[in-house]
Amino acid sequence: YDTHQGLPRTISDVVPGSHGTLYLLGAGPATPPAIYRWNPSSPSSPEILRSSSKVTFPDSLLSTPTRIEFPTSGGLTSFGYHYPPKNDRYRCTTESSPPLLVKAHGGPTSCASTAYDPSIQFWTSRGFSVLDVDYSGSTGYGKDYRRRLRRRWGVADVDDVCAGAAFLAQRGLADPQRSCIDGRSAGGFTVLGALTFRDVFRAGTSSYGIGDLTALAGDTHKFESRYLDGLVGRYPEEEELYRQRSPIEHVEKLSCPVLILQGEEDRVVPPNQARKMHEALLTKGIPTCLKVYEGEQHGFRKAENIEDALDRELAFYGKVFGMEGIPGVMEIEVDNL
């Protein structure tokens, strides 16, 4: 059975019903997450009982992903999903390669998804190439791949997002001078690490990301209180390792603009992390912008804030890359620019 029978490309849950019926939670690049009813013995296609969204994109705007494999550090291979820019209403006649946005998922032992994601289409419809990276440690590639992040968080993941960006640039699928990266939570840590310890990206956005591992080890919630032991090392016994990988401890190595988005009521990654990182960037004179959303916790829930975060990120890249004439772009102030 596959998508030819009308099944969604991604299935995350299956619950058996009566008389051989199955209930599925699934989605696809052009299909929002939905609940399906399906009987494998029936010739009819699965029936959508309830969809999470009625919003759809025309084919002229919809960018579909291609899974790519690319070489990374240590002679290893990593993976990701490449979404080319797509908007049939416009044609670029002045540039050979599009700007690139690399996305680092959270977790960090989670994974990228090919399910319909309007926030990715937001970028591809505006001329950006998007690479959603399943860096070392991601779920879905076997035990050995997931274990590649053991004690190497802040190293292996950073190597992989940089290698993915370089891979696309070498093939003319992205402009290395307009490569940026964003991520949320653990992905935000990867963003800050890539911007601090590597020289690949020209700008980045950290959403409720981690800048200080030592502070996280002391401040985070009980459920993840020992999570870092396997990802980095025992704390406080290996506190020096935490400091070595904390971007906040190495701001002198940062030299490109950073947008920081944060929820005021976040208890997983407390807002003091965002403020400390922002203050350090201000002191060094690096272009930066901090937006703290009242009433938001770890992950933005309010529609107006989700929309604002996307618009703000686009406006930020527009400012730092000198992109003029972006339709409907938000006006923002960037410190030190």
Side-chain angles (χ1 to χ4, degrees):
Y1 301 108
D2 56 27
T3 54
H4 295 295
Q5 281 77 39
L7 290 170
R9 180 168 171 176
T10 301
I11 298 175
S12 56
D13 285 292
V14 180
V15 177
S18 58
H19 308 294
T21 299
L22 298 176
Y23 294 90
L24 319 172
L25 180 60
T31 310
I35 298 173
Y36 293 76
R37 180 168 56 198
W38 178 53
N39 191 319
S41 61
S42 171
S44 59
S45 297
E47 175 189 3
I48 295 179
L49 300 179
R50 183 69 61 87
S51 178
S52 63
S53 174
K54 296 181 179 179
V55 177
T56 59
F57 285 98
D59 290 342
S60 61
L61 282 177
L62 190 66
S63 178
T64 55
T66 299
R67 181 181 151 178
I68 65 170
E69 301 180 14
F70 52 88
T72 188
S73 58
L76 300 172
T77 297
S78 288
F79 307 90
Y81 295 97
H82 175 232
Y83 296 77
K86 181 75 177 292
N87 190 330
D88 288 355
R89 293 174 58 189
Y90 298 93
R91 288 287 184 273
C92 181
T93 59
T94 59
E95 300 158 0
S96 59
S97 301
L100 171 67
L101 176 61
V102 171
K103 303 187 78 67
H105 64 69
T109 51
S110 180
C111 62
S113 171
T114 58
Y116 173 88
D117 186 347
S119 67
I120 287 181
Q121 304 301 327
F122 174 91
W123 294 102
T124 56
S125 65
R126 287 161 174 79
F128 279 75
S129 178
V130 173
L131 176 61
D132 206 356
V133 180
D134 267 337
Y135 50 77
S136 297
S138 299
T139 296
Y141 298 88
K143 181 171 62 177
D144 290 341
Y145 194 80
R146 185 163 48 81
R147 286 181 172 176
R148 275 165 45 173
L149 201 62
R150 281 190 174 182
R151 296 181 60 87
R152 300 193 73 237
W153 189 34
V155 178
D157 51 318
V158 170
D159 284 346
D160 289 357
V161 295
C162 293
F167 180 83
L168 292 183
Q170 289 164 4
R171 282 153 182 77
L173 298 174
D175 181 355
Q177 297 306 313
R178 293 182 298 163
S179 290
C180 44
I181 181 171
D182 74 10
R184 306 169 184 173
S185 188
F189 172 66
T190 301
V191 168
L192 295 173
L195 298 179
T196 302
F197 301 116
R198 306 289 189 275
D199 186 24
V200 172
F201 300 102
R202 298 296 175 259
T205 298
S206 170
S207 297
Y208 37 96
I210 301 151
D212 187 343
L213 286 175
T214 57
L216 181 69
D219 290 350
T220 195
H221 58 121
K222 184 177 180 180
F223 181 71
E224 292 187 349
S225 60
R226 309 309 304 182
Y227 190 26
L228 297 179
D229 289 2
L231 293 171
V232 182
R234 296 286 298 178
Y235 187 85
E237 295 89 336
E238 297 180 88
E239 182 175 351
E240 181 57 31
L241 188 57
Y242 280 67
R243 295 190 182 280
Q244 290 173 11
R245 297 189 192 170
S246 294
I248 192 70
E249 299 281 352
H250 305 277
V251 179
E252 74 282 356
K253 297 181 179 181
L254 254 173
S255 59
C256 68
V258 185
L259 170 64
I260 302 172
L261 306 174
Q262 176 70 37
E264 182 63 62
E265 299 178 8
D266 193 337
R267 294 187 178 182
V268 179
V269 180
N272 68 308
Q273 292 239 358
R275 292 192 173 99
K276 284 176 64 178
M277 196 72 197
H278 182 242
E279 289 168 5
L281 291 164
L282 285 176
T283 300
K284 195 184 176 188
I286 295 172
T288 183
C289 183
L290 170 65
K291 174 63 176 178
V292 178
Y293 294 97
E294 298 291 336
E296 292 287 10
Q297 300 180 21
H298 194 65
F300 305 147
R301 303 292 186 268
K302 298 178 182 179
E304 62 269 24
N305 292 338
I306 295 172
E307 181 179 354
D308 182 272
L310 276 170
D311 288 340
R312 192 171 295 273
E313 186 175 353
L314 175 62
F316 183 75
Y317 298 147
K319 286 263 190 180
V320 300
F321 291 144
M323 298 176 179
E324 298 180 357
I326 302 175
V329 69
M330 172 190 289
E331 285 296 329
I332 65 169
E333 292 293 328
V334 179
D335 299 319
N336 294 333
L337 186 64

